């Protein structure tokens, strides 16, 4: 799949659009296939290394996302194919640092 990856902390110029590996689901996370992502001020700060959460490159920013459930634990209450939106917290961002536009969160 393709994703905009922050390769260096120099702002948007440090991002590249490139191929990345898929994320595998597990028993603890809902995996979302992102269909749309908003770019917000915290994302800009992340690309410059100026946000309170410091992520080392490479990572994929995306505090605001919408898409469909790709996989989910049965006890999560989510169904595969269900449309969802997600707002980034530290767990979502950590999973996003795994270089994927499919993001995980509780």
């Amino acid at each position: 799949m393709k994703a905009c990856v922050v390769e260096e902390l120099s702002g948007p110029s440090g991002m590249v659009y490139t191929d990345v590996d898929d994320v595998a689901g597990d028993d603890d996370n809902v995996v979302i296939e992102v269909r749309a992502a908003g770019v917000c001020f915290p994302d800009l700060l992340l690309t410059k290394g100026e946000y309170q959460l410091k992520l080392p490159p490479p990572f994929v920013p995306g505090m605001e996302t919408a898409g469909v459930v790709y996989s989910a634990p049965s006890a999560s209450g989510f169904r595969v194919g269900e449309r969802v939106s997600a707002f980034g917290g530290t767990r979502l961002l950590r999973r996003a640092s795994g270089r994927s536009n499919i993001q995980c969160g509780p």
Side-chain angles (χ1 to χ4, degrees), residues 81-95:
E82 181 178 6
R83 295 186 333 174
V84 294
S85 62
F87 299 96
T90 56
R91 184 173 172 89
L92 179 64
L93 291 168
R94 283 192 191 121
R95 295 295 291 202

Side-chain angles (χ1 to χ4, degrees), residues 30-33 67-72 78-84:
V30 174
V31 179
I32 301 168
E33 180 179 347
V68 297
V69 174
Y70 182 78
S71 67
F78 291 96
R79 299 179 321 277
V80 171
E82 181 178 6
R83 295 186 333 174
V84 294

Side-chain angles (χ1 to χ4, degrees), residues 5-101:
V5 179
V6 175
E7 294 285 344
E8 60 181 52
L9 299 176
S10 58
S13 65
M15 297 178 72
V16 294
Y17 184 65
T18 187
D19 290 304
V20 296
D21 295 332
D22 287 342
V23 170
D26 58 31
D27 291 336
D28 295 324
N29 293 293
V30 174
V31 179
I32 301 168
E33 180 179 347
V34 176
R35 301 276 174 92
V39 178
C40 55
F41 189 61
D43 291 311
L44 175 62
L45 293 176
L46 280 170
T47 69
K48 298 165 111 181
E50 297 175 1
Y51 193 63
Q52 59 258 29
L53 174 66
K54 307 292 185 203
L55 296 178
F59 65 89
V60 177
M63 292 250 189
E64 300 172 351
T65 58
V68 297
V69 174
Y70 182 78
S71 67
S74 57
S76 70
F78 291 96
R79 299 179 321 277
V80 171
E82 181 178 6
R83 295 186 333 174
V84 294
S85 62
F87 299 96
T90 56
R91 184 173 172 89
L92 179 64
L93 291 168
R94 283 192 191 121
R95 295 295 291 202
S97 68
R99 296 179 56 110
S100 177
N101 73 338

